[in-house]
Amino acid sequence: MKRRDFLKTSAGAGLAAGAALSFGGYDKLWSPSTAAAKYDLVAVMGGNPDAMFDLAIQELGGMGTFVKKGQKVLIKPNIGWDVIPELAANTNPLLVKRIVEHCFKAGAKEVYVFDHTCDNWVNCYKNSAIEKNAKSAGAKVVPGNSESYYHEIQIPGGVKLQSAKVHQLLLETDVFINVPVLKNHNSTRMTCCLKNSMGLVWDRGYWHSNDLNQCIADFALYEKKPALNVIDCYNVMVKHGPQGVSKEDLVLMKSQILTTDWVAGDAAAAKMLGVGVEMIEYIPIAHKMGLGNMNLESLNIQRIKM
């Protein structure tokens, strides 16, 4: 009901649900495109993660809009927890694999996948099935478990967070694609686009001890921002997040959101989760700091129902 409300009532000039199906066949969706993105946000529902991504990325002009020939790409999913995909604490592995495939199809030279995990990184990478799927598509899956991988950057204008140590891949790659999984979170009510950036840094403890919501917004000031946010809303953890307890915590929404604006992405995700945007403290903070637009009614949204 809640996701249906979002798809029906979020204002915008998107086409009627189902219109994108008239493109006819997923094979055609692999055609490279360099057209500029037509929409601020694309919301798709009703398919498998890989098929929904095929449709949604085409609505934004194809992966060629974001990845150019010869570029190095960083894909940052949530791989934080040592659990199986069916518990949806991590990003769906089929979605990660499909994004890697699209990047190479667009001409990427190298594609990297990593996360600074909460549980043991070897187990997280293996049991989430993300390592296996990303590698099968040709990506290099690298660890984030040593401080030696991280380098200090400055965050001018940060209120609580003026510097941070970020993984070297964020500094060395040309394109950053943010791929969070939408979940309930016991500290911030929700984790999605902006909060997924905590997996890019070494010292998350500082954030938790110094106004977590403000630190999440502050980090978004850093110059290296995601070129694209792909929000996994396939199987959504609506309680007991971020790790979850059982499948009873999940609602099968079979949805996905793509946007270049991670504040808008989080605002749309909050509606999917059934939480008022104002209740997710870091979203209005980031909006007021000029880091994105949480007012969905002002966006050009494309909605697709498969």
Side-chain angles (χ1 to χ4, degrees):
M1 182 65 183
K2 291 167 182 173
R3 67 181 184 278
R4 191 175 302 148
D5 287 345
F6 163 64
L7 291 166
K8 284 185 174 179
T9 61
S10 296
L15 300 177
L21 298 179
S22 63
F23 284 121
Y26 297 140
D27 289 343
K28 294 179 180 178
L29 299 178
W30 287 89
S31 301
S33 171
T34 56
K38 298 181 291 184
Y39 303 103
D40 299 312
L41 186 149
V42 174
V44 56
M45 67 178 295
N48 290 325
D50 46 359
M52 288 194 290
F53 182 75
D54 288 345
L55 280 171
I57 192 64
Q58 185 69 13
E59 291 301 298
L60 291 176
M63 188 58 89
T65 303
F66 308 99
V67 176
K68 306 303 179 188
K69 186 177 180 179
Q71 287 188 318
K72 297 180 181 179
V73 180
L74 168 61
I75 295 174
K76 165 61 179 73
N78 187 328
I79 328 176
W81 305 100
D82 178 12
V83 296
I84 58 177
E86 289 76 12
L87 292 177
N90 304 305
T91 304
N92 188 289
L94 295 179
L95 174 60
V96 176
K97 178 181 180 181
R98 195 59 139 209
I99 296 171
V100 173
E101 291 171 342
H102 274 270
C103 288
F104 280 121
K105 194 74 176 180
K109 179 181 180 181
E110 296 171 346
V111 179
Y112 296 89
V113 174
F114 106 97
D115 192 13
H116 183 191
T117 63
C118 298
D119 289 338
N120 177 277
W121 75 274
V122 174
N123 294 337
C124 290
Y125 278 27
K126 177 181 179 182
N127 294 326
S128 68
I130 289 177
E131 180 176 33
K132 177 182 178 181
N133 278 273
K135 284 184 174 178
S136 72
K140 298 178 180 178
V141 182
V142 301
N145 65 317
S146 171
E147 188 172 2
S148 64
Y149 302 142
Y150 295 79
H151 303 277
E152 184 161 320
I153 55 94
Q154 302 302 309
I155 305 174
V159 177
K160 293 289 185 179
L161 189 72
Q162 288 89 35
S163 64
K165 282 189 172 182
V166 301
H167 197 283
Q168 62 193 37
L169 278 178
L170 184 64
L171 305 175
E172 295 174 353
T173 50
D174 303 300
V175 181
F176 164 32
I177 299 178
N178 192 27
V179 193
V181 59
L182 171 61
K183 294 186 293 182
N184 163 261
H185 195 283
N186 56 14
S187 295
T188 55
R189 292 178 180 263
M190 183 187 87
T191 176
C192 200
C193 295
L194 289 162
K195 194 177 182 309
N196 198 42
S197 64
M198 293 185 74
L200 294 167
V201 305
W202 175 250
D203 188 5
R204 290 189 292 248
Y206 178 87
W207 296 35
H208 283 284
S209 302
N210 292 275
D211 192 342
L212 176 58
N213 288 289
Q214 184 64 57
C215 285
I216 291 172
D218 285 346
F219 187 78
L221 288 166
Y222 180 51
E223 61 187 24
K224 191 70 174 287
K225 305 181 193 303
L228 176 65
N229 299 277
V230 182
I231 304 174
D232 173 17
C233 314
Y234 188 78
N235 211 6
V236 176
M237 185 183 296
V238 298
K239 58 183 179 180
H240 299 142
Q243 188 173 13
V245 177
S246 71
K247 293 182 180 179
E248 299 299 316
D249 299 330
L250 309 178
V251 173
L252 185 63
M253 296 188 181
K254 299 183 75 170
S255 300
Q256 200 173 104
I257 298 169
L258 272 65
T259 179
T260 58
D261 182 339
W262 49 0
V263 177
D266 274 356
K271 284 186 173 290
M272 297 285 290
L273 200 58
V275 180
V277 175
E278 297 285 347
M279 299 296 290
I280 313 298
E281 291 185 34
Y282 58 81
I283 298 178
I285 293 173
H287 176 87
K288 291 175 182 176
M289 293 173 70
L291 298 170
N293 186 358
M294 72 177 200
N295 296 322
L296 297 177
E297 65 276 9
S298 67
L299 302 179
N300 186 9
I301 299 175
Q302 167 68 312
R303 304 167 187 81
I304 306 168
K305 186 174 181 180
M306 297 178 69

